């Protein structure tokens, strides 16, 4: 079969691949999610981010919007633990920006605690933010993602890049091997991975893809501030245990996101994409 060079050009990271498309992202003012949304907006899309903190959410939206003149980015204050609030946020996003074509379930909570000091409420809090929050996010946006795919099908156009109907869940790799002080997060994120699988199975027939990204140790994030020691020796030891010998950059998570949202990722569904320099295969997180 003859294949032209053009077939392989501009499937990913082409200017405008997300033009007229809308991304809904929970926890969108956080370091990792903010960069994921920024990449989407830089490549032509508009976005809505949600968060619990009004100032942080407003500022986050304004910062993201500044990446491209004319970009529309809305910040909505909503707690992922509240289904009604997530439904209302999705409704407002679609009303103000016209649709929801892509989604990221990114809101998360974490802290280090041994099981002996983990109260029932502490465990429940992380389960509610990470697991229930991801479930609520999916429930709120999936009807719009289905509409997005349907609208495209009805237009009769060929499948272009950035069509829509894609959701990404942000998880972690601690539960692949086991990690002390993270019982709450391991339980919560293992469940998040399975929610994504369920979406992949049940919504694949509607043209939706659902995948998980698990960031490894990413420099400059709140997660790293909370979970790792910052003295020079500990940082050096931590990096030495990672096969590529360094911590990741937030842009590397954004790049994985653009890949999964782009036409190049169109056949990836129900996958867990670990972006951690190979860390989990060696020592696990530190
Ligand atoms: C033990 C703790 C604790 C700690 C809180 N709790 N911090 N227990 N050790 N360090 C307990 C509290 O005592 C309380 O239990 C219960 O948890 C709920 O705490 P609240 O403060 O009332 O909850 P809330 O205000 O909802 O805050 C949620 C939170 C908080 C998760 C505790 O840290 C938060 O809002 N985090 C959001 C931001 C965040 O964590 N970002 C990092 C994500 S990084 P009691 O029994 O006293 O009532 C990430 C990394 C992934 O996810 C992996 C990457 C490699």
């Amino acid at each position: 079969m003859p294949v032209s060079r053009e077939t392989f050009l501009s499937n990913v990271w082409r200017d405008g691949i997300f033009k007229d498309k809308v991304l809904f992202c929970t926890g969108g003012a956080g370091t990792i999610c903010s960069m994921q949304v920024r990449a989407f907006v830089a490549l032509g899309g508009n976005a809505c981010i949600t968060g619990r903190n009004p100032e942080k959410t407003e500022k986050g939206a304004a910062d993201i919007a500044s990446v491209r003149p004319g970009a529309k980015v809305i910040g909505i204050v909503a707690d992922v633990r509240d289904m009604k609030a997530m439904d209302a946020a999705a409704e407002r996003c679609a009303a103000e920006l016209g649709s929801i074509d892509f989604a990221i379930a990114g809101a998360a909570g974490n802290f280090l605690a041994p099981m002996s000091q983990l109260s029932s409420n502490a465990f429940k809090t992380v389960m509610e933010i990470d697991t229930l929050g991801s479930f609520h996010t999916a429930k709120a946006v999936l009807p719009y993602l289905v509409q997005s795919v349907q609208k495209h099908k009805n237009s009769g156009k060929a499948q272009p890049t950035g069509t829509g109907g894609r959701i990404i869940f942000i998880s972690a790799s601690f539960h692949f091997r086991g990690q002390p002080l993270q019982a709450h997060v391991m339980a919560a994120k293992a469940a998040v991975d399975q929610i994504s699988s369920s979406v992949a199975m049940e919504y694949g027939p509607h043209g939706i893809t659902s995948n998980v990204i698990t960031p490894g140790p990413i420099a400059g994030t709140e997660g790293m501030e909370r979970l790792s020691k910052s003295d020079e020796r500990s940082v050096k030891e931590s990096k030495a245990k990672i096969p590529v010998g360094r911590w990741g950059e937030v842009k590397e998570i954004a790049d994985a996101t653009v890949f999964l949202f782009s036409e190049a990722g169109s056949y990836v569904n129900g996958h867990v994409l670990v972006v951690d320099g190979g860390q989990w295969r060696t020592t696990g997180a530190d």
Side-chain angles (χ1 to χ4, degrees):
M1 183 176 72
V3 176
S4 71
R5 182 170 164 265
E6 281 65 35
T7 306
F8 299 99
L9 297 176
S10 62
N11 263 353
V12 194
W13 295 285
R14 175 167 49 83
D15 191 18
I17 57 169
F18 300 123
K19 187 171 180 297
D20 299 330
K21 301 293 176 184
V22 176
L23 167 63
F24 181 93
C25 177
T26 62
T31 328
I32 287 180
C33 289
S34 166
M35 190 66 102
Q36 292 177 290
V37 181
R38 207 172 294 244
F40 184 88
V41 170
L43 296 174
N46 293 316
C48 161
I49 63 167
T50 73
R52 277 187 289 163
N53 180 311
E55 291 79 39
K56 194 175 166 189
T57 306
E58 272 306 310
K59 184 175 181 312
D63 284 351
I64 293 166
S66 70
V67 78
R68 178 175 60 79
K72 286 188 220 153
V73 182
I74 307 170
I76 299 178
V77 178
D79 191 328
V80 288
R81 292 173 282 193
D82 180 347
M83 184 71 237
K84 280 191 186 145
M86 293 317 293
D87 276 338
E91 197 180 330
R92 187 178 147 199
C93 174
E96 290 189 24
L97 298 178
S99 61
I100 299 176
D101 307 289
F102 296 82
I104 297 173
N110 201 352
F111 49 82
L112 294 171
M115 278 188 74
S116 59
Q117 284 166 42
L118 199 57
S119 70
S120 171
N121 190 42
F123 185 87
K124 192 171 114 188
T125 299
V126 171
M127 290 297 290
E128 286 186 344
I129 296 173
D130 292 23
T131 306
L132 202 57
S134 295
F135 176 70
H136 288 164
T137 304
K139 289 274 287 180
V141 301
L142 278 164
Y144 296 99
L145 298 187
V146 170
Q147 270 177 26
S148 169
V149 173
Q150 205 53 50
K151 195 168 81 184
H152 182 74
K153 273 191 187 149
N154 293 343
S155 76
K157 286 184 199 152
Q159 186 93 345
T161 295
T163 298
R166 312 256 176 108
I167 182 165
I168 292 173
F169 295 81
I170 303 301
S171 187
S173 59
F174 303 136
H175 55 289
F176 297 172
R177 295 173 59 106
Q179 181 75 15
L181 315 180
Q182 290 284 274
H184 44 322
V185 176
M186 287 201 294
K189 295 298 196 183
V192 168
D193 293 357
Q194 298 316 314
I195 292 169
S196 175
S197 296
S198 296
V199 174
M201 296 302 102
E202 293 190 21
Y203 284 83
H206 294 279
I208 308 285
T209 67
S210 176
N211 293 288
V212 172
I213 290 179
T214 74
I218 304 299
T221 59
E222 186 177 351
M224 282 303 276
E225 266 167 41
R226 285 170 178 254
L227 306 182
S228 66
K229 295 181 191 142
S230 59
D231 64 281
E232 204 178 320
R233 189 170 156 200
S234 301
V235 168
K236 206 172 161 192
E237 280 173 8
S238 160
K239 290 178 179 172
K241 287 181 191 162
I242 301 167
V244 299
R246 64 175 177 86
W247 288 348
E249 302 292 329
V250 269
K251 184 173 174 293
E252 291 175 301
I253 305 300
D255 285 343
T257 305
V258 173
F259 162 66
L260 287 175
F261 280 170
S262 76
E263 184 57 14
S266 58
Y267 203 51
V268 184
N269 188 28
H271 184 61
V272 177
L273 181 56
V274 185
V275 187
D276 73 345
Q279 183 201 45
W280 82 270
R281 291 200 172 274
T282 56
T283 57
D286 259 331

